[in-house]
Amino acid sequence: MRHQLLLAALLLSAGSALAQGTALSFGDGEATSDQPVEVSADALEIDQNAGSAIFTGNVLVTQGAMRLSGARVDVAYGPGPDGETTVQRVVAEGNVVLVNGEDAAEGQTAVYSVESGEVIMTGDVILTRPDSAMTGERLTVNVDDGTGRMEGRVTVVFTPENGDGG
């Protein structure tokens, strides 16, 4: 009976998530945006005048515990607060995967604003966590504080704890 009540409560909370979007946690909450950004890919095109770099083929961007991958990644860079050149924005396209700790999200596009630590992922987004999975159209996460929000016809599947064996 307890499991049925828990399932009913979870479904009720998921029902409200379906209508409005839902807040969530993502990653371990360790600050990431102040760490170095490393990018690897099969090919690279640089436009010094535009302050951009285009990475294609098996692109992997890492920063601290965060990993972002996609078929193509555009990196915009420019002067940072201290005057040194720094990465300002990363746009990943094509089968994008964002991983931070045990949490992973997949979508078609992700825009990462490095200074704010915010990633906005769109296009049939799937978020998987150890205890749940969620789908929606738009996922916004902050890689520094581990907060996030899923919007756009959100569906949530929870895996309840089974502490009593039944």
Side-chain angles (χ1 to χ4, degrees):
M1 179 68 173
R2 189 179 105 205
H3 291 293
Q4 292 168 336
L5 290 175
L6 177 62
L7 182 58
L10 291 174
L11 289 175
L12 286 174
S13 66
S16 65
L18 291 172
Q20 302 171 0
T22 187
L24 54 94
S25 63
F26 185 84
D28 56 14
E30 295 288 323
T32 299
S33 66
D34 62 346
Q35 297 185 18
V37 176
E38 179 181 327
V39 183
S40 61
D42 293 338
L44 167 63
E45 292 179 37
I46 296 176
D47 184 340
Q48 293 286 352
N49 295 328
S52 67
I54 301 171
F55 295 86
T56 55
N58 301 308
V59 185
L60 176 62
V61 179
T62 58
Q63 186 180 35
M66 184 192 72
R67 294 185 316 276
L68 177 68
S69 62
R72 173 186 167 124
V73 173
D74 295 358
V75 177
Y77 56 91
D82 58 2
E84 291 187 24
T85 300
T86 183
V87 173
Q88 296 174 336
R89 186 173 137 156
V90 176
V91 178
E93 298 174 318
N95 299 316
V96 176
V97 177
L98 174 67
V99 177
N100 196 342
E102 293 183 315
D103 301 335
E106 298 176 36
Q108 290 306 307
T109 304
V111 177
Y112 175 33
S113 299
V114 177
E115 186 176 326
S116 68
E118 183 177 79
V119 178
I120 299 173
M121 184 175 278
T122 56
D124 298 321
V125 179
I126 300 170
L127 171 65
T128 56
R129 305 191 71 229
D131 60 349
S132 62
M134 187 179 302
T135 62
E137 286 304 311
R138 177 183 171 106
L139 171 66
T140 303
V141 296
N142 186 298
V143 297
D144 287 336
D145 64 16
T147 60
R149 181 171 180 81
M150 181 75 82
E151 299 173 280
R153 193 64 188 159
V154 177
T155 303
V156 182
V157 176
F158 296 95
T159 305
E161 284 187 41
N162 191 358
D164 63 0

